[in-house]
Amino acid sequence: MSSGLKIIEEQQKPIQKLQIYPTANAGVSPFWREKYERDAKKYWDIFYKHHGDRFFKDRHYLDKEWNSYFSGSGKKVILEVGCGAGNTIFPLIATYPDIFVYACDFSPRAVELVKAHDEYAETRVCAFACDLTGDGLDKHISPSSVDIVTMIFVLSAVSPEKMASVLQNIKKVLKPNGCILFRDYAVGDLAQERFSGKDQKISKNFYVRGDGTRAFYFSNEFLETLFSEQGFEVEELDVCCKQVENRSRELVMNRRWVQATFRRSHGNQNPGDSLSPAKLDKSEQHDSIQSKSEEQERKEIIDNTDIDISDGLAMEMFGASPSSHEMTVVKLRDSDFKIKLLSKEYQHTCKSTGLMLWESARLMASVLDRNPNIVSGKRVLELGCGCTGICSMVAARSANLVVATDADTKALTLLTENITMNLQSSLLGKLKTGVLEWGNKEHIECIKGLACEGFEVIIGTDVTYVAEAIIPLFETAKELILRKMGDLEMQEKPALILCHVFRRVDEPSLLSAASKYGFKLADRWAANSKESPIGNIIDSWFSEKDLVAEIPSSALHILYFQME
């Protein structure tokens, strides 16, 4: 017996408030964890396609922080790992005329950006694509020939299980006694704090962002162990803190990152012995109570440290980045709708399905556009309308009243924007929006108050994908559908129309639940189905051949219910 049927047996109990999306922070599923690892290059390519060289600031602080490493007599060879768009490379070659820079990134698009830079010259820079977790650097660079490796916000993009192999790869081309200059995210950074409460945690201190790129947040202990075990001595290891303020939005953002210098050990020194006694004493002192308070020490770092991250990234941390949304156009026979919704690259980490446009909504909008008689002169309710509300907007052109509902307030906020962008002012009064969580008596009463005795037509597109939601769906529909027919006795009966792709809930479970609440299947339709219809209602909607050609998916179904 399916979970949907098990719930049906308990339908006599009082309806409970429904929480479709889990509140527990379950983290990223194994399927997505593997996908993020497998498609890491693709996600970073998309990142650079969208942002180009505008995302990170040029790192002009490098000479101030590490001048003693870059300066001095003789030509130095630098390897910039994870070069991105060149924000480290070009400040370096402008400041130090005697250096040569190898630059690699596993995003081919990033390497193209570097090569397209006005200051790129093959006599100073050699840029190439390379996945450090699998491709050998020694195929591009002679072994033991690099003086300095810069790793600026790059190791955090690598899964912690592969960080050791990255360091071994670098070690092959680094000279004995060569060094790594390191800066990356620290535990407790604002960006990490924003992940709390979201299902974006891959493993301890490792998260996926909304765009599919990943970020690890380092502790001093983790870094010291990682580098020491791979044969590097720790010369410097500090946590830097800075407050980034956006006065116009009254936001204060606490940023934390690690800045460190590691030197390749020489000889057969054991990894556990890599720190000299002096360094061990310094490390112990760093964690003890010193003459300066922690607040004073942090203030010194704040006053003298630049931050890499652009204002655009800071805004994105607060969910305000315009790049998280995109515009799509829904083309109907006589009109087009411009719909603002969540960008595709952010949809995979978003719990709310209401911020997307589903194929079922496209189909139902086309049906209503070609067959306005379905809703003409009637009171119409849309369940789970999401941010697009495309069916409600089409229905508003011929219905007396349309109420678009969803439990997701973010979706409703975006829906309001879409309505304002697309509907004529004369129609705005006919389309209302409201919060409706199925099973919430207070919500149901508020929506019922908008339509007097009830709605003649209730529409739901792709609202049947969660088994636990089926009982509340039909019970809520029963509460809101028109029950007293009056003058409508001789006309069409009120209808509940569900358009969807069958996923985790099959048709028998839906029909069983519907019958428990007085709904009888009056007609059914399936794309490319050869089954005979129950009635002649839905087939008449597809009398125009060009509408049949517009069906977006062969898996779509429509179920047409009436009250018994």
Side-chain angles (χ1 to χ4, degrees):
M1 182 180 290
S2 72
S3 58
L5 291 175
K6 290 177 182 177
I7 297 170
I8 291 169
E9 296 174 353
E10 303 175 1
Q11 57 88 21
Q12 298 298 331
K13 296 181 180 180
I15 191 167
Q16 300 293 318
K17 182 178 179 181
L18 177 69
Q19 176 65 44
I20 294 179
Y21 305 115
T23 54
N25 190 355
V28 175
S29 68
F31 169 82
W32 281 105
R33 193 179 305 132
E34 293 172 7
K35 181 174 175 58
Y36 294 137
E37 177 67 29
R38 183 174 65 252
D39 295 340
K41 181 187 297 185
K42 182 186 77 172
Y43 286 120
W44 278 107
D45 253 3
I46 293 172
F47 174 91
Y48 285 109
K49 178 182 179 181
H50 286 175
H51 298 290
D53 60 358
R54 302 178 301 278
F55 206 73
F56 294 101
K57 297 178 180 179
D58 281 347
R59 291 151 182 163
H60 294 292
Y61 62 82
L62 294 168
D63 59 327
K64 182 172 66 176
E65 297 294 326
W66 289 307
N67 177 63
S68 60
Y69 292 91
F70 294 114
S71 60
S73 59
K75 186 175 182 179
K76 284 188 170 62
V77 177
I78 315 298
L79 168 60
E80 162 68 347
V81 174
C83 62
N87 301 95
T88 295
I89 303 166
F90 298 109
L92 279 179
I93 63 173
T95 306
Y96 301 101
D98 292 330
I99 66 171
F100 181 88
V101 179
Y102 287 103
C104 68
D105 199 289
F106 75 163
S107 165
R109 193 178 296 272
V111 174
E112 290 173 7
L113 289 171
V114 171
K115 291 183 175 181
H117 196 282
D118 291 340
E119 297 176 28
Y120 182 83
E122 293 184 356
T123 56
R124 302 292 311 278
V125 182
C126 174
F128 57 93
C130 179
D131 180 357
L132 292 178
T133 65
D135 303 335
L137 281 169
D138 52 3
K139 294 180 180 179
H140 303 272
I141 306 171
S142 300
S144 302
S145 63
V146 173
D147 297 286
I148 301 168
V149 176
T150 54
M151 301 183 72
I152 313 295
F153 293 99
V154 60
L155 195 60
S156 54
V158 177
S159 61
E161 296 80 10
K162 294 187 175 181
M163 290 179 182
S165 63
V166 169
L167 295 183
Q168 285 300 316
N169 200 354
I170 290 171
K171 193 175 178 182
K172 292 178 183 178
V173 298
L174 188 62
K175 289 179 179 179
N177 211 39
C179 62
I180 295 176
L181 307 181
F182 183 94
R183 183 183 273 208
D184 220 320
Y185 302 109
V187 169
D189 181 55
L190 170 70
Q192 183 183 23
E193 292 177 359
R194 289 197 69 248
F195 286 122
S196 62
K198 299 181 180 181
D199 290 338
Q200 292 175 240
K201 185 175 182 179
I202 299 173
S203 59
K204 184 179 179 181
N205 295 327
F206 193 38
Y207 304 85
V208 61
R209 301 186 184 94
D211 61 0
T213 62
R214 300 171 299 173
F216 186 87
Y217 295 83
F218 294 97
S219 66
N220 284 11
E221 294 77 13
F222 181 94
L223 276 174
E224 185 174 313
T225 300
L226 173 66
F227 277 82
S228 296
E229 287 180 349
Q230 303 311 313
F232 291 89
E233 297 177 3
V234 181
E235 288 198 344
E236 174 195 10
L237 182 55
D238 292 304
V239 174
C240 302
C241 311
K242 186 167 185 175
Q243 286 190 337
V244 180
E245 183 177 0
N246 184 280
R247 294 180 181 176
S248 63
R249 302 188 71 234
E250 298 182 349
L251 296 175
V252 176
M253 297 160 277
N254 296 308
R255 305 311 317 279
R256 290 168 60 85
W257 66 94
V258 177
Q259 183 161 303
T261 305
F262 304 98
R263 190 173 294 277
R264 179 180 172 181
S265 304
H266 47 80
N268 296 318
Q269 196 172 15
N270 293 324
D273 300 330
S274 60
L275 285 176
S276 66
K279 290 297 178 185
L280 285 171
D281 291 341
K282 183 177 179 181
S283 177
E284 291 168 0
Q285 291 171 4
H286 183 75
D287 295 327
S288 65
I289 299 174
Q290 301 179 31
S291 58
K292 295 180 182 179
S293 68
E294 184 179 352
E295 182 178 350
Q296 288 173 321
E297 184 136 358
R298 286 186 179 181
K299 186 176 187 301
E300 286 187 0
I301 297 174
I302 289 169
D303 289 343
N304 294 284
T305 308
D306 291 322
I307 190 167
D308 301 62
I309 300 171
S310 68
D311 294 337
L313 178 56
M315 289 301 98
E316 183 163 311
M317 289 178 184
F318 283 84
S321 171
S323 63
S324 64
H325 293 99
E326 66 183 18
M327 300 295 295
T328 190
V329 177
V330 177
K331 293 183 177 293
L332 301 179
R333 180 173 58 180
D334 299 322
S335 59
D336 295 344
F337 287 83
K338 294 181 179 179
I339 303 297
K340 184 178 181 181
L341 40 69
L342 189 68
S343 297
K344 289 183 178 64
E345 66 266 28
Y346 288 87
Q347 292 177 3
H348 53 94
T349 56
C350 180
K351 289 182 182 180
S352 174
T353 56
L355 299 179
M356 311 167 199
L357 176 61
W358 296 91
E359 298 299 332
S360 56
R362 287 181 181 270
L363 174 61
M364 203 64 217
S366 295
V367 167
L368 294 173
D369 181 56
R370 302 297 185 93
N371 302 273
N373 59 296
I374 297 173
V375 297
S376 181
K378 299 175 183 177
R379 296 186 295 271
V380 179
L381 171 68
E382 184 176 5
L383 299 174
C385 63
C387 71
T388 68
I390 183 65
C391 294
S392 290
M393 286 192 282
V394 173
R397 299 189 298 200
S398 51
N400 279 352
L401 170 71
V402 179
V403 180
T405 65
D406 203 286
D408 187 346
T409 54
K410 290 183 179 179
L412 291 175
T413 299
L414 201 52
L415 171 63
T416 302
E417 289 186 46
N418 285 323
I419 291 173
T420 303
M421 280 192 295
N422 289 281
L423 279 194
Q424 299 174 5
S425 57
S426 60
L427 298 178
L428 293 176
K430 295 169 62 176
L431 176 51
K432 302 182 183 300
T433 62
V435 178
L436 177 57
E437 187 172 357
W438 307 335
N440 186 312
K441 292 294 186 182
E442 183 180 344
H443 291 177
I444 291 171
E445 289 303 315
C446 287
I447 299 302
K448 190 181 293 185
L450 298 175
C452 299
E453 296 178 339
F455 296 89
E456 289 105 317
V457 178
I458 299 179
I459 298 170
T461 59
D462 258 316
V463 294
T464 59
Y465 57 92
V466 176
E468 293 77 9
I470 302 307
I471 290 299
L473 166 65
F474 282 107
E475 189 160 358
T476 300
K478 180 180 178 180
E479 291 284 331
L480 293 171
I481 201 164
L482 179 66
R483 305 296 298 279
K484 297 179 181 179
M485 298 290 291
D487 294 337
L488 292 175
E489 202 78 54
M490 305 301 294
Q491 300 178 24
E492 278 184 74
K493 290 183 178 180
L496 168 63
I497 306 169
L498 300 179
C499 181
H500 49 242
V501 173
F502 285 112
R503 293 183 175 88
R504 288 173 282 176
V505 182
D506 58 18
E507 184 172 311
S509 297
L510 285 177
L511 298 183
S512 179
S515 66
K516 294 290 184 180
Y517 292 96
F519 288 97
K520 178 183 178 182
L521 185 65
D523 202 3
R524 70 155 60 90
W525 173 92
N528 299 329
S529 174
K530 296 181 180 179
E531 291 184 18
S532 301
I534 297 174
N536 297 313
I537 302 170
I538 303 177
D539 267 356
S540 65
W541 299 347
F542 294 92
S543 58
E544 299 181 26
K545 293 183 178 180
D546 58 337
L547 177 56
V548 176
E550 291 177 7
I551 296 172
S553 170
S554 60
L556 285 166
H557 294 71
I558 299 177
L559 300 180
Y560 188 98
F561 295 96
Q562 292 175 331
M563 294 298 293
E564 295 185 20

